[in-house]
Amino acid sequence: MKKVSVASLLKKKQEGQKFATLTAYDASFAKLFDDCGIDLILIGDSLGMVLQGESSTLPVTVEQVAYHTRCVASSTQRTMVVADMPFMSYATPEQTYENAAELMRAGANMVKMEGGEWLCETIQGLVDRGVPVCGHLGLTPQSVNVFGGFKIQGRGDAAARQLINSAMELEKAGIQLLVLECIPAPLAKRVARSLTIPVIGIGAGKDTDGQILVMQDMLGITAGYVPSFSKNYLAATGDIREAVKLYIDEVEQGLFPAAEQSFDE
């Protein structure tokens, strides 16, 4: 099987083909998702909440993400593997280079960072040093204390303009993918159409190029709060493999997310 790459995801965007992605944190689920045809697996710092029982992603460390990245990378052949840079692991360019190198050595094909224009110099430095970068705008969970909770972002003209400008600046800096989280669907559509790179949504409507969900949310096994933008595919199928295949199929057909899993302006 041919390995999914930035080039192959870009080709899908250019041809109007949507693609599905998921988080994973261990070898067993990663192999299952790989076998089912998931294009990208994110080892998210969401592991702090869904695996460790924390109230936010902030306690997660680089060492923990590297451990789970190694588990995922060891059992996948086709899917692209992206690793989250945890909270305060990229405060300076030098710190970022060291931590990104650790995640790449663990098996990541790309690292993901949350934030806007302030990251541009660091992103350029990573790309120059051979590290592909995925950006993340909208509701950035590492900034939960700044936002005052997990709230929808990008509402209002000023906030929307700022988010679009940030996305364009990140693309100029060299990101090759962008995640948009919890923003109004019309705004996500504008961002996806403004950028040449693939845009992946979570709680951002159906008009992004790809979709991502936390695997526990998609399977309906999340302990505690379940996001309104998610959907329990296991309940509809009764089988994990069939649940993943249904998720992929609905994303590719533009059926997920539906209106009830999206936010308006």
Side-chain angles (χ1 to χ4, degrees):
M1 294 180 291
K2 188 174 181 180
K3 178 82 172 178
V4 176
S5 65
V6 170
S8 61
L9 294 181
L10 180 58
K11 183 179 179 181
K12 286 193 173 188
K13 177 186 177 84
Q14 293 168 343
E15 295 178 350
Q17 299 178 23
K18 296 183 180 295
F19 58 91
T21 74
L22 282 169
T23 67
Y25 318 93
D26 66 29
S28 297
F29 276 107
K31 185 178 188 308
L32 187 152
F33 297 166
D34 191 46
D35 290 345
C36 288
I38 283 288
D39 282 329
L40 180 152
I41 288 175
L42 170 68
I43 299 88
D45 56 6
S46 50
L47 69 89
M49 302 175 76
V50 298
L51 297 187
Q52 299 173 343
E54 302 284 359
S55 60
S56 74
T57 65
L58 303 189
V60 176
T61 66
V62 173
E63 292 74 21
Q64 290 168 346
V65 175
Y67 169 83
H68 289 282
T69 298
R70 191 169 288 107
C71 294
V72 168
S74 68
S75 63
T76 54
Q77 293 182 328
R78 176 186 173 275
T79 189
M80 179 185 290
V81 176
V82 179
D84 251 338
M85 296 281 287
F87 177 65
M88 289 299 291
S89 67
Y90 46 99
T92 67
E94 292 73 20
Q95 178 193 34
T96 307
Y97 303 154
E98 181 178 345
N99 290 329
E102 181 173 352
L103 297 180
M104 296 294 284
R105 284 193 292 265
N109 305 124
M110 176 180 284
V111 299
K112 182 174 79 64
M113 297 189 293
E114 300 178 5
E117 290 94 326
W118 67 273
L119 276 176
C120 287
E121 179 183 351
T122 300
I123 290 167
Q124 290 172 343
L126 284 172
V127 174
D128 288 344
R129 289 160 177 80
V131 179
V133 180
C134 174
H136 186 156
L137 292 172
L139 173 56
T140 47
Q142 292 174 17
S143 300
V144 61
N145 290 318
V146 175
F147 294 150
F150 296 97
K151 299 178 179 180
I152 301 166
Q153 302 297 308
R155 280 181 166 157
D157 291 343
R161 284 195 300 270
Q162 178 59 51
L163 193 143
I164 293 172
N165 289 338
S166 295
M168 296 179 73
E169 289 301 313
L170 290 176
E171 183 178 45
K172 289 178 185 177
I175 64 167
Q176 293 176 295
L177 295 173
L178 176 66
V179 171
L180 296 177
E181 181 169 356
C182 283
I183 68 172
L187 174 58
K189 183 177 181 179
R190 289 170 62 191
V191 174
R193 291 186 174 183
S194 298
L195 303 185
T196 59
I197 61 172
V199 176
I200 300 170
I202 176 167
K206 65 182 179 62
D207 292 308
T208 53
D209 306 300
Q211 298 291 332
I212 190 164
L213 285 176
V214 172
M215 56 164 280
Q216 283 84 352
D217 295 342
M218 188 272 295
L219 295 174
I221 58 174
T222 303
Y225 173 74
V226 178
S228 62
F229 54 73
S230 187
K231 180 176 178 179
N232 183 347
Y233 281 91
L234 186 57
T237 61
D239 179 84
I240 292 177
R241 290 181 185 275
E242 292 305 314
V244 176
K245 291 176 182 177
L246 180 59
Y247 166 62
I248 294 172
D249 185 57
E250 289 199 351
V251 169
E252 291 178 346
Q253 292 187 50
L255 301 175
F256 177 83
E260 58 266 29
Q261 289 108 19
S262 305
F263 305 110
D264 59 26
E265 294 180 303

